[in-house]
Amino acid sequence: MVWAAGISDRGWTPDTGISGMPILLKDNIETADMPTTAGSLALVDNAPGRDAPLVTRLREAGAVILGKTNLSEWANIRSNNSISGWSAVGGQTLNPYDPTRTPCGSSSGSAAAVSIGLAPAAIGTETDGSITCPASVNGVVGFKPTVGLVSRTHIVPISHSQDTAGPISATVEDAAIVLTAIAGSDPLDPATAEADARKVDYRAALDANSLNGARLGVMRFLIANYSAETQAEFERALTNLRAAGAEIVEITEAPENYRQIGGWEFTVLLTELKHDLNLYLASTDPDQVPTRTLAEVIAFNAAEPRETVLFGQELFERAEATGGLDDPAYVEARARSFQAAGPDGIDRMMADNRLVALIAPTTSRAWTNDREDEDNMQGSASRLAAVAGYPHLTVPMGFDRGMPVGISFMGGKWDDARILSLGYAFELRTRERRPPALAGLQPSS
């Protein structure tokens, strides 16, 4: 944790719901009583004395905000060579299963804290994989909601098209409890206009039998990218899903334009970063945050050796060179990326195969922090749901060489309750989570 608030002595169990639940927050989410740094020394004094709306919702529901967690600085958008879980403010977050391996990011501290039991739940944020990847490699549950279900106001941004906050937790039930509290419309965030009408009691919607009769689509076109061990764990998960009554449908062909989504997404993220971060910085107190624009943050980093000791800021520099939200290249990239990931991607795969969800391994086992070796990330399922803005849940499914790996459940827009319920049923049947001290035990099924 980077900053800590007062800790309540009230007891908490899942039976009490959110009331009394200890919760940690990623250090890009504003609170009235702690600074919000996004891991950057440029924001080290950023304490405007306001709660993000999701924090207000947590407090009003009775949650206890314990403090803030470290993250990949600027949520991993500063450099292609950034190190997950490292920030100039917080240092390096470690993976509790093996400190020589990555905690992934950018919600690294939130996932590691839940993994070692500092809190039953934490809030992370995701633009593409920043909740689901760290949750998976730290052996916990992570849920990226539909974009627009949870307010982004007073959260240090990357992209208004793809950013969302969401829970990282010890169980799916805990994630559902937290999501019920933080979901809802915010007049300052137009993306959430439908949230009040769409939200439900996500915990009450959990059904232990939801897999029975459910048609699940395996995104087989992704699977070859994963290690043999992770593939084996996924096949074992499919056996458990079938035993629970699920019907497994193989999807061997990637959606049209799937391989072009990454390039379009990159254009969108860099363009929106400049626009959205400038708006955020303008909302802070100039006495606390002298850097008022992305250009001034770039200049600050260039003059501050502690910021660039491990990697540079070439993505910031490329974002600063973008042409704005009216740039035809940006407008086309956003339209094409969303169409390919959403209507022509997740929506079409689900409709054509009459599915209730799509599944795949979330990502590989945690890779090492050594850039010189060949142990690198192998496989990721996050892009389609991230670019479309659709819900994505990861649940522990087993271990690859002693490191946890997760299974992903994804659905269409506003399918949050169903996706959580499917993951809940899988979790209850398999109980694959092993805290770090117990990771060497054999799988339960």
Side-chain angles (χ1 to χ4, degrees):
M1 286 183 289
V2 178
W3 311 103
I7 298 176
S8 169
D9 61 357
R10 288 182 291 171
W12 176 83
T13 69
D15 291 340
T16 65
I18 195 76
S19 181
M21 178 188 270
I23 292 180
L24 289 159
L25 304 173
K26 186 176 180 179
D27 188 24
N28 60 351
I29 301 170
E30 288 194 3
T31 60
D33 52 356
M34 290 172 274
T36 301
T37 75
S40 171
L41 295 172
L43 298 185
V44 73
D45 295 319
N46 180 32
R50 60 194 182 191
D51 279 342
L54 77 83
V55 176
T56 299
R57 288 178 176 273
L58 287 170
R59 294 193 199 276
E60 289 178 346
V64 179
I65 307 302
L66 292 183
K68 299 220 178 150
T69 58
N70 194 26
L71 70 160
S72 309
E73 185 170 319
W74 293 109
N76 256 353
I77 195 65
R78 201 185 87 187
S79 169
N80 280 324
N81 296 313
S82 64
I83 299 171
S84 285
W86 182 89
S87 75
V89 172
Q92 180 64 56
T93 304
L94 302 179
N95 187 309
Y97 290 87
D98 182 345
T100 70
R101 293 181 176 271
T102 184
C104 201
S106 59
S107 304
S108 313
S110 293
V114 172
S115 181
I116 62 176
L118 291 181
I123 305 296
T125 64
E126 174 159 329
T127 306
D128 188 339
S130 283
I131 288 173
T132 53
C133 182
S136 178
V137 305
N138 286 280
V140 293
V141 171
F143 185 61
K144 182 197 82 74
T146 295
V147 172
L149 186 61
V150 178
S151 168
R152 288 88 56 85
T153 299
H154 303 329
I155 298 176
V156 182
I158 292 177
S159 162
H160 59 266
S161 293
Q162 294 183 207
D163 287 353
T164 184
I168 296 174
S169 56
T171 67
V172 177
E173 182 180 17
D174 291 345
I177 289 169
V178 173
L179 184 63
T180 301
I182 64 177
S185 299
D186 168 19
L188 297 178
D189 184 354
T192 65
E194 292 185 59
D196 280 348
R198 296 286 186 172
K199 69 178 183 178
V200 300
D201 183 331
Y202 294 98
R203 184 191 194 187
L206 298 176
D207 178 1
N209 296 313
S210 60
L211 288 169
N212 190 25
R215 284 174 62 88
L216 306 177
V218 175
M219 292 188 286
R220 189 61 67 176
F221 57 88
L222 294 176
I223 306 302
N225 296 322
Y226 297 87
S227 70
E229 294 87 347
T230 293
Q231 290 186 48
E233 289 296 276
F234 183 65
E235 295 304 321
R236 191 166 62 85
L238 294 182
T239 298
N240 280 315
L241 290 167
R242 291 187 182 99
E247 184 177 353
I248 303 300
V249 180
E250 297 284 339
I251 303 174
T252 58
E253 296 295 324
E256 184 181 5
N257 295 324
Y258 172 73
R259 288 171 180 80
Q260 294 175 266
I261 294 173
W264 291 325
E265 179 190 25
F266 189 58
T267 296
V268 170
L269 299 189
L270 292 186
T271 304
E272 294 187 358
L273 170 65
K274 179 181 178 181
H275 175 271
D276 295 359
L277 185 57
N278 283 347
L279 286 178
Y280 174 80
L281 292 171
S283 79
T284 62
D285 184 337
D287 291 333
Q288 299 172 350
V289 184
T291 52
R292 309 304 296 159
T293 64
L294 174 59
E296 292 181 2
V297 173
I298 292 169
F300 174 91
N301 290 339
E304 174 48 81
R306 291 175 294 173
E307 284 290 349
T308 55
V309 64
L310 296 176
F311 52 87
Q313 55 178 339
E314 70 277 3
L315 293 186
F316 269 12
E317 292 164 350
R318 291 182 66 174
E320 179 58 28
T322 57
L325 301 188
D326 294 328
D327 185 339
Y330 160 76
V331 174
E332 180 182 12
R334 177 54 188 158
R336 287 183 175 272
S337 63
F338 173 75
Q339 183 71 29
D344 293 342
I346 290 174
D347 294 336
R348 180 162 294 176
M349 285 189 287
M350 291 182 64
D352 288 352
N353 295 283
R354 296 178 288 113
L355 306 173
V356 299
L358 296 162
I359 57 174
T362 304
T363 191
S364 60
R365 68 179 181 276
W367 52 100
T368 71
N369 289 321
D370 184 351
R371 292 198 183 105
E372 303 303 319
D373 69 21
E374 296 181 355
D375 191 346
N376 299 311
M377 184 179 187
Q378 299 179 64
S380 172
S382 66
R383 176 162 287 156
L384 285 172
V387 174
Y390 294 175
H392 178 184
L393 172 71
T394 182
V395 180
M397 73 170 180
F399 287 83
D400 177 343
R401 303 185 201 177
M403 300 301 294
V405 287
I407 182 173
S408 285
F409 296 82
M410 286 166 270
K413 189 173 185 178
W414 309 120
D415 278 349
D416 303 74
R418 177 158 57 186
I419 295 303
L420 284 165
S421 188
L422 294 169
Y424 174 72
F426 175 82
E427 177 187 61
L428 289 183
R429 181 172 187 87
T430 60
R431 301 190 185 277
E432 291 292 347
R433 178 169 186 257
R434 300 285 185 279
L438 303 177
L441 297 182
Q442 293 298 311
S444 62
S445 56

